[in-house]
Every structure is written in C-alpha cells, then in structure tokens.
Amino acid sequence: MALARPETLSIGEVLEVLSFHGGYNTNAVLAGSAMLGLAAGVVGVFALLRRRSLVADAIGHATLPGIVIAFLVAASMGASGRSLPVLLLGAAVSGVLAVLCIFGILRYTRLREDAAIGIVLGVFFGVGVVLLSYVQRPENVSASPAGLRHFIYGQTAAMRAGDAMLMAGIALSAVIVTAVLFKELALACFNDDYARVAGFPVSVLDGLMLGLVVLVTVAGLQAVGLILVIALLIIPPVAARLWTDRLLPLMLISGGLGALSGYIGAATSALLPRAPAGSVIVLCGGAVFVASLLFAPRHGVVATASRRAIQRLRIAGEHLLEAAHEHEIMRKSEGVIPTRTIRAMERLWGWPVWLGPMVIASLRRQGYLERNSGGYELTSTGSARGARIARNHRLWEQYLQTYADVAPGHVDWSADTVEHVLSPELVAELEAALKAKGVRT
Amino acid sequence: MTLTPSGDLFPLLAAVLAALCCGLLGNFLVLRKLSLMGDAMSHSVLPGLVIAFMLTGSRTAPVMFLGATLAGVATVVLVELIKRLGRVESGAAMGVVFSVLFALGVLLIERAARNTDLDANCVLHGQLESLVWWEGPASWAGVVGGGVLGAAPPQIWTLAITCALTIVLVVVLYKELRLAAFDPALATAQGFNATILHYILMVFVAGATVAAFEAVGSILVIAMLIVPAATARLLTDRLAPQLLVSTGVAIAAAILGYSGSIAVPHAFDRDEVNAAGSMAIVLGLLLSIAVIFGPRYGVLATSIRRLRMARRIALDDLLGRLYRQEEGEATIVPAPKPVLTRARRRGLVVADRLALSDEGRAQAAALVRRHRLWEAYLVDRAGLAADHVHAAAESLEHLPETLPPETGATDPHGKPIPPM
C-alpha cells in the first residue's frame, strides 16, 4: 500500500493517516501497533526491573526456528503455510523453549546469565537460519516462503486488518494479566525473598512474567520483526524510568511511550516508501528515549544538571554570605567588603570564573547583598542569614566534637558541607542536645 | 559428497579464521560477564557498514572495516553513557543502543543503499558460499602450487590479519588480560589500567565481529564469540587450557558445520543449507555434550558424584547408629533395604541380624570418632554452645580427609571419643 507513493508528502496526507482517516486497513495497523507498543511498554517494565531485558532479545531471535518449522508443518499438511496464527504459535513455542533453555543452562551449569542468553540466542537463531535457507529452495518446499521475511524485519504493510486485530488482542490480554496480577508481580520484582516468605509462588510469577514477554514478542513479530522486537520491550521502560521512581506511574508512562512510538512509527512507515515499519517504530522509540534522557523532569540530563547548578549556586552563595558576615564582624565599623577580597575568597574556594558574578547577582536579587563604592555590603537580612549559616556551622562542629569524638582540627570540612542542609528543626535539636551536655552555644 | 578446492577452500578458510579469532576473544567476554557486548556489537555493525558505504560510495574491505569498527566502539561508548546518565543496568543500556542502531542500519539499507549488494539478509545470515575460487584447481593436491595467496579474496585477508592481531594481543597481554578478567580492581591497583584494557578488548571484539560477519553473518557472530568459550569453561578451570579448548571447539565447529551443511542435506537428496547457521548448530551440539558429559562440571558427572555421596552418607548413618546402639544409646537405626544389603555385601553388618561385624565396628568407630572430635573442636576452639554443634558435626563426619586436631578423651556431651 505504501510502495507506490511519491517521496514528498503533503501535510494533509500526514494528518489524514495520523487522525485515522487513512482507510480501514491503515487504521487497523496503526491501532494494532499502538496497542502493541502499550503492551510491550507495560510488560517490559517487569523485565527491566528483574534485570532480564536481554532475555527478551534471546526470545525474539529464538522465534525464528519456530516460525519456519510451523511453516514447514503447515505446508506439509497442505495449508499455504502463511496462516498467521499457526506461525505465531510456532514462534511462541520456540520462544518458550528458549526461556527454558536459558534457565536450564543457569540451573545445571556454572555459566552465568549473560553467557546463557548469548548461547541460546546464537544457537536458536542458527537453527532458524539453516531452516530458512532450506525452505527458501523452491525444490525443497512447494509453498512459497515469501512471507517469512516479514517476520525478520517486520512489515506492517504486509499486515491485514485481521492480523492487526490478532496482534492487538494478544497485546491486550498481556496488559489485562499485568493489571490483574499487578500487586504480586510488583512484589516479586522488588523483593523476591520477601514475596517467597509471604507465600507467593515467585517462580510461577517469574514464569508468568517471561510468558508475558514471549506473548508480546510474538505479537510484535509482524510489526517490528524478531530482531527488533526487543526494542519495544526495552526502550519504553528505560525511557519511563527517567520520568518517575514509582511503579504505577512507571508502567503508565512506559505504556504511553510505547504506544506513542508504535503509533507514530506505523504511521510514518505507512506514509514513506521503503521504510520498514520495524526500524521506523524502533527509531521513534529511540527518539522518545533521547528526548526523555534529555528532558525528563525527574532524572533527565537537563533537570539533573539544573538541579545541581541551582544547588551549587545556593551553596556558593551561602559560603559567600557566611564569609561576608565574618568579615563584617571582624571589621565592625565599615561593613563594606572590597571587591578584591571577594576575588581572593573565590580563588581560595577554587570557583570557576563564571561562578562569582552569578553568585553575587543571585544574592543581590534576593536582597542579601548591595553594591557599594569599592565593594559590596551586606544588607541587614543578608547579615542575619550569614550569621545563621555561621551558627549552623559552629553548632555542627560542636556536635561532632562533643558527640562524635571528632578531633577539632577535622570538623571544619564536614561542617562546611553539612551547614547547607541543616533544617530549622535539626538546628533546634542540636541546640538542645548541646545544652544538655553543658556546651555553650 | 566431496569438498572441492574451487568451491569450498575459501569458505572453509574464512569459517576457520572467523572461528579462531571470535573463539579466542570470546573467553574474555565470558569471563568478564560481557557476553552480551558481543551481542550488542554484532547488531550495531550494520549501520556502521551502511554509513561507511554511503559516505565513501565504496564497498572495499578497509572502508567497511573502519566503518563497522567505529560503530562497534560507538556502541561501547554509548552504552557507558546511557548507563551513567540514565541510571540503568548494562543489559538494558545495551538493548537500547543496539536495537536503535540496528533499526537505523535496516532503514538506511532500505532507503539509501538498496541497489548495492549490501543486502540486510547477507549481513544477517553470512555469505560464506559466495567466496568461490573460480579458477581453483580441481583437486586438493593442486592447491599447494595453485597460487592460493594470489587468488584469496579480500575477506580472507581481512580475517587473516584480524586473526593474527588477535593472537598477538592475547599472547602479549596474556598476563594483563587474565588478571583483568578475574579481578579488574586488582589489575588497576597493580598498575594496569583495567578500563584501557577493557577498551582495547572491545576494539578487538568489534574488529573480530566485523571481520567475521561476512563469513558467519552478524547475528551468528555471537554464537562464535560465546559458545566456544562457554563450552571450554565447562571443561576446565584454568585460563590457558580454556583458550586452547575454546579455539579447538570453534575450529571443529567451523569445519563440521561447513561440511555438515553440504553433506547432511545431500544425504537426503536436498540442496545444501546455510553454512553459518550449521556452524551455530554444531556449536550448540558441542556445548550440550560438554554440559552433559563434562568430566568435572557435567550434569552426568555431578549427578554420579551426588549419588555416590548420598549412598556413602546413608551407609555411614547406618553404621553410626548401630555403633551408638551398641554403646547403649536408645536410637532409631535407619535400615532401608538397599543400604542394608550393601552393608552386608561389604561385610560391615553381620548376615543374620542387624548388628555390626568387627570390620563394621572399626569403620563405625572411626566415623563416631570424627563426629565427636568435631563436636569437641567446635565447642573448645570455635566457642559454639554444646547443644549447637551436633548438626555441623553430622555433616563434617562424612569427610574422612579432614580431621580436627585432637582435644580430649570425651566430647562435649561427656561421651568417650573412640580411639584410633
């Protein structure tokens, strides 16, 4: 359906497809891919949390022999060999077999998980490649194996509405199972020892989780292909992990990002000629991941960096206020700190050149510092704040010396870091504790 | 079937060389739990090849090699970056990187490099069969004088150079690689930078993956990397034998797989099947043999050892209980029929009733002696409470090779320790 289109696209055409006006078949494929992305995003979260992401890779590759064998069996029984349910059944059987092999290797040999996954992936795929090369000789098999190629790279264009519905149905059932067993699966993910003690059948739950992975892999075969189906299971959860630390939002976001990648990817692939759906969907997922990595509010690079920068600015400002306050006490009368003194302090603290001006600007904006002829002057609020920080510093020093038996020469550095995070309640507690010991504060 | 020099010499040579360098490097991946780095790299080679082709328009070996190696190194760097920035474990980070890169490769092939012979299927499945030596001599005897070197296709040269470099690397950096494989922290503490070593290794893995992908296909490279090393790991505990065994396994799989891909279908009157896939199957078979029949860690050897141990413990238990009964202790003597039969056959228990023979008594005394010596040792030397030591002594008594030092004449419960 996409092959005959020209390279250039009008916006109207794009909107037509994106808004589900691209014809019944296209709509079904879009909906199916979005459903698949949703299911993979949800199920993939468990795989990620159980550190089993790459088991999904092995499962994906391991479906190849199953597909070809199912094709051979169907062809030998006179069927065309193209019946999707039969091929998917074969894929599921060999996917499950692959999981069992991985666990068998882990159970009976001293090889570790990474090696077990690599072995199963390579050998199963090898079997698949051999069978495929056998099937592709016309003299060996009467039925045409042309459709099998779609399973390797994925080809939504080859998907009919009925196929898309089947995929969506499989994906939906995976989501429903997850929703029903959410509590049990979550417990098994985060604390399997406790789950075991509490009487949950952890190995059954584990098997179920991998069963869901197999299910989603099989559902994703025709959309993204067996090599890339792993991307759907891994990328959305990893991206969602940057957005939140809680499980339920993690699943919702992951499912949402997966659905988004599936939907946009399938639409793009329908619009552009020679754009295999699998790759496009995965690249959309990749774009979503990069965007999350940069801009996710919780652990995105920008958010983390700006949080760190703000923190650094605050701490630097507090250091400056503290030092300015002490300077003020030492030279009671004037209260003006010459600019060169500030420069000297910056050098002492090892600040980069840009930090000083930013700190001063921020302190002036908060009304702690005022520009004066030849230097800066603390305002009354600035002076009070400097005094409070200095006091926190002393309190912590006293506390360390009194309670933690830290030598007086060693307490300054620790106090320097702690003074910025002492809450008023903690300060009150410190005062009380020190008073009880008879230390003058 | 017969292999001919013209049709089979170069494919076979390519397979053996690919097996050799992958098999050798795979050891360090398996030991460092980096097996899946091979997986990741074998996928991300694809975009490297395509981009190199698109930029230069050439499909010569050095260009392809450079592009793919750079892609491999980029994979390692990106995985590290995502691990650090995204706070995810390495498996997931690899999955993100290689799947996106592979998708990029497939898309680029479809859109930009369509009308070249850079076909995704060849990259995936290998194209060993295409290395035909058209002017090759008709018989193997003619190969020696037949100008092999001049006729060898560039893929063979790439593989041969990669192989030679890999062997040089392993020989020259053997000590460092060994240390880093088992204890990277110690390696760094001793002054070899384990991180630099890691990157050197990764560059070599990328190179081997690239050199071998034309022979075995990009995905099957992972079988070549991991399975020989894993097989060897099941057969030996020492690194040097492991390296030798793994290369042996790899080469055997290359030769058997290649000939099998022709011979087996021909036996059933069919056309030959994909050679690279057949090698992966042979590797799988060799691994299964090691899993089952490995002399030390094989499933069979382990179960036989366990069975023997269980039988010895059952016999020990019978003798120990009988001895204690003779001492006057009221105890239940476990006497399942097979155990009793075995004890009688060895003359440890008298034939007509449930009682120790003289020989059995001596053996039982030695056992009870071990038990009580252990109890005494655990109380006196290890400071355990007297009522906590029985279970430990019960397991330790079955190991005749280890005896605790002599302590006194009685055990903590006041029972006499039988003399030697």
Side-chain angles (χ1 to χ4, degrees):
Chain A
M1 65 183 195
L3 289 176
R5 287 176 187 261
E7 279 277 357
T8 51
L9 288 169
S10 71
I11 292 175
E13 229 173 344
V14 174
L15 286 178
E16 192 178 87
V17 169
L18 284 178
S19 61
F20 289 98
H21 287 90
Y24 177 65
N25 214 7
T26 313
N27 287 349
V29 168
L30 284 189
S33 302
M35 274 306 300
L36 174 70
L38 173 73
V42 169
V43 169
V45 166
F46 291 128
L48 175 73
L49 293 176
R50 281 298 253 176
R51 296 170 170 265
R52 293 235 176 90
S53 302
L54 288 176
V55 174
D57 191 30
I59 294 175
H61 287 78
T63 53
L64 185 59
I67 292 170
V68 187
I69 290 175
F71 171 82
L72 276 170
V73 170
S76 74
M77 294 196 318
S80 77
R82 298 277 294 275
S83 148
L84 189 62
V86 175
L87 296 182
L88 292 191
L89 184 69
V93 169
S94 70
V96 169
L97 211 59
V99 173
L100 293 179
C101 282
I102 291 177
F103 281 101
I105 291 174
L106 290 178
R107 166 84 179 71
Y108 292 107
T109 74
R110 57 184 188 148
L111 297 171
R112 284 178 294 228
E113 194 153 38
D114 61 319
I117 292 174
I119 290 165
V120 168
L121 188 156
V123 174
F124 269 71
F125 196 73
V127 175
V129 167
V130 166
L131 289 171
L132 198 61
S133 71
Y134 174 80
V135 167
Q136 275 165 346
R137 304 267 180 176
E139 57 269 35
N140 287 341
V141 184
S142 53
S144 158
L148 292 184
R149 200 183 124 80
H150 301 325
F151 287 106
I152 297 181
Y153 302 112
Q155 195 133 3
T156 40
M159 218 192 276
R160 286 181 293 271
D163 301 345
M165 293 303 170
L166 178 66
M167 304 275 188
I170 297 176
L172 193 63
S173 43
V175 173
I176 290 172
V177 172
T178 315
V180 171
L181 289 175
F182 180 76
K183 195 185 64 182
E184 286 79 3
L185 291 174
L187 189 59
C189 269
F190 283 109
N191 195 341
D192 53 346
D193 288 334
Y194 173 71
R196 214 165 275 132
V197 172
F200 291 101
V202 172
S203 41
V204 174
L205 289 171
D206 249 356
L208 190 72
M209 273 187 238
L210 286 166
L212 291 174
V213 172
V214 173
L215 211 57
V216 170
T217 306
V218 168
L221 283 179
Q222 201 165 13
V224 285
L226 54 87
I227 298 176
L228 287 175
V229 76
I230 182 213
L232 283 184
L233 284 156
I234 288 192
I235 298 177
V238 173
R241 190 70 191 78
L242 296 158
W243 289 72
T244 174
D245 288 330
R246 299 178 48 79
L247 183 60
L248 189 61
L250 180 64
M251 293 204 133
L252 296 177
I253 296 174
S254 171
L257 295 179
L260 189 71
S261 322
Y263 169 70
I264 306 258
T268 314
S269 148
L271 287 164
L272 294 178
R274 293 194 279 111
S279 336
V280 180
I281 292 177
V282 174
L283 286 175
C284 283
V288 165
F289 171 76
V290 172
S292 302
L293 187 65
L294 292 178
F295 304 115
R298 180 126 192 99
H299 299 296
V301 171
V302 171
T304 316
S306 60
R307 257 202 310 275
R308 280 209 192 120
I310 289 170
Q311 175 87 339
R312 184 167 185 195
L313 205 61
R314 189 175 71 84
I315 289 177
E318 291 190 356
H319 275 153
L320 191 66
L321 283 180
E322 188 183 352
H325 169 74
E326 269 158 19
H327 181 88
E328 204 180 45
I329 292 175
M330 279 192 288
R331 325 196 162 187
K332 279 172 194 129
S333 53
E334 294 145 55
V336 174
I337 312 146
T339 314
R340 62 188 154 75
T341 313
I342 290 186
R343 295 276 171 276
M345 288 176 186
E346 286 171 8
R347 271 199 303 282
L348 188 68
W349 289 321
W351 285 2
V353 279
W354 51 267
L355 190 58
M358 277 185 74
V359 170
I360 288 172
S362 132
L363 290 179
R364 284 176 70 187
R365 205 172 47 244
Q366 294 174 72
Y368 292 137
L369 211 59
E370 265 170 12
R371 173 119 210 152
N372 207 321
S373 56
Y376 295 92
E377 192 179 0
L378 281 178
T379 62
S380 54
T381 50
S383 180
R385 183 149 169 71
R388 208 159 51 243
I389 297 160
R391 183 175 156 75
N392 284 355
H393 186 107
R394 298 276 139 67
L395 271 176
W396 190 252
E397 283 187 345
Q398 286 287 357
Y399 175 78
L400 285 182
Q401 287 175 35
T402 315
Y403 280 91
D405 283 336
V406 179
H410 281 57
V411 293
D412 180 59
W413 178 80
S414 159
D416 236 14
T417 42
V418 171
E419 66 191 18
H420 309 289
V421 293
L422 290 179
S423 63
E425 296 82 31
L426 203 57
V427 169
E429 229 173 284
L430 280 176
E431 280 170 349
L434 289 170
K435 197 176 270 172
K437 268 271 184 177
V439 179
R440 204 170 49 84
T441 55
Chain B
M1 72 101 199
T2 45
L3 297 177
T4 61
S6 58
D8 301 311
L9 173 65
F10 289 134
L12 205 51
L13 199 57
V16 168
L17 289 172
L20 186 65
C21 61
C22 289
L24 209 51
L25 287 170
N27 286 294
F28 300 101
L29 292 181
V30 168
L31 285 175
R32 293 202 61 179
K33 300 192 219 167
L34 285 170
S35 308
L36 294 169
M37 209 38 138
D39 181 18
M41 283 210 204
S42 60
H43 286 83
S44 45
V45 158
L46 186 62
L49 292 171
V50 187
I51 293 173
F53 170 76
M54 285 166 63
L55 289 182
T56 62
S58 112
R59 226 188 88 69
T60 54
V63 171
M64 298 277 107
F65 195 80
L66 190 68
T69 312
L70 284 180
V73 175
T75 310
V76 181
V77 174
L78 284 175
V79 167
E80 281 303 315
L81 197 69
I82 289 182
K83 247 162 78 178
R84 200 163 304 161
L85 293 179
R87 309 178 320 138
V88 289
E89 40 119 10
S90 62
M94 282 181 210
V96 172
V97 172
F98 79 69
S99 58
V100 172
L101 285 179
F102 189 83
L104 187 68
V106 173
L107 187 69
L108 288 178
I109 281 194
E110 287 291 321
R111 290 189 67 80
R114 188 86 201 237
N115 36 15
T116 66
D117 56 342
L118 198 64
D119 174 14
N121 268 324
C122 290
V123 177
L124 222 50
H125 304 160
Q127 40 192 179
L128 262 188
E129 291 85 347
S130 69
L131 297 176
V132 181
W133 185 10
W134 294 113
E135 304 85 32
S139 74
W140 288 96
V143 167
V144 184
V148 189
L149 293 181
Q155 289 96 326
I156 297 281
W157 286 111
T158 316
L159 272 168
I161 294 169
T162 314
C163 246
L165 287 176
T166 306
I167 293 171
V168 168
L169 170 87
V170 171
V171 170
V172 172
L173 289 181
Y174 178 72
K175 206 175 58 187
E176 288 81 358
L177 283 170
R178 185 178 60 183
L179 192 56
F182 290 103
D183 195 342
L186 179 66
T188 307
Q190 293 202 350
F192 324 120
N193 191 328
T195 316
I196 292 180
L197 219 55
H198 172 74
Y199 275 94
I200 293 178
L201 187 64
M202 284 300 136
V203 169
F204 268 82
V205 172
T209 310
V210 179
F213 93 88
E214 272 193 281
V216 291
S218 71
I219 305 233
L220 293 175
V221 165
I222 181 169
M224 279 291 183
L225 279 169
I226 307 307
V227 185
T231 311
R233 181 104 180 87
L234 296 176
L235 298 176
T236 169
D237 285 328
R238 301 178 51 79
L239 185 58
Q242 185 183 322
L243 292 177
L244 294 178
V245 172
S246 63
T247 33
V249 166
I251 291 172
I255 295 172
L256 288 176
Y258 185 80
S259 3
S261 75
I262 300 168
V264 175
H266 280 192
F268 295 97
D269 245 353
R270 306 284 187 183
D271 269 332
E272 57 261 30
V273 291
N274 182 288
S278 311
M279 289 179 218
I281 295 180
V282 174
L283 282 172
L285 292 177
L286 292 177
L287 179 82
S288 321
I289 292 174
V291 167
I292 297 171
F293 300 107
R296 181 183 281 175
Y297 298 108
V299 173
L300 215 55
T302 319
S303 9
I304 289 174
R305 245 193 337 263
R306 286 216 183 110
L307 195 67
R308 282 213 183 117
M309 187 66 160
R311 286 168 61 148
R312 206 177 75 219
I313 288 174
L315 192 64
D316 279 357
D317 281 347
L318 173 68
L319 297 182
R321 297 294 178 94
L322 281 173
Y323 186 88
R324 291 187 176 94
Q325 202 176 42
E326 282 186 0
E327 278 187 328
E329 193 179 319
T331 179
I332 302 159
V333 179
K337 208 154 192 169
V339 183
L340 198 58
T341 318
R342 224 152 7 97
R344 288 209 166 109
R345 213 171 41 229
R346 294 192 193 176
L348 301 172
V349 170
V350 292
D352 49 346
R353 66 209 151 80
L354 195 53
L356 290 168
S357 69
D358 288 340
E359 198 192 333
R361 189 168 301 109
Q363 201 170 319
L367 178 85
V368 172
R369 176 182 159 76
R370 281 199 296 275
H371 181 95
R372 292 184 180 160
L373 276 177
W374 271 120
E375 285 192 337
Y377 173 80
L378 288 173
V379 170
D380 295 348
R381 304 285 176 89
L384 268 69
D387 52 351
H388 275 60
V389 293
H390 177 77
E394 191 75 5
S395 6
L396 289 166
E397 68 183 11
H398 301 294
L399 308 169
E401 312 82 49
T402 47
L403 255 189
E406 199 98 16
T407 33
T410 57
D411 75 355
H413 312 293
K415 290 180 187 153
I417 296 178
M420 285 286 263

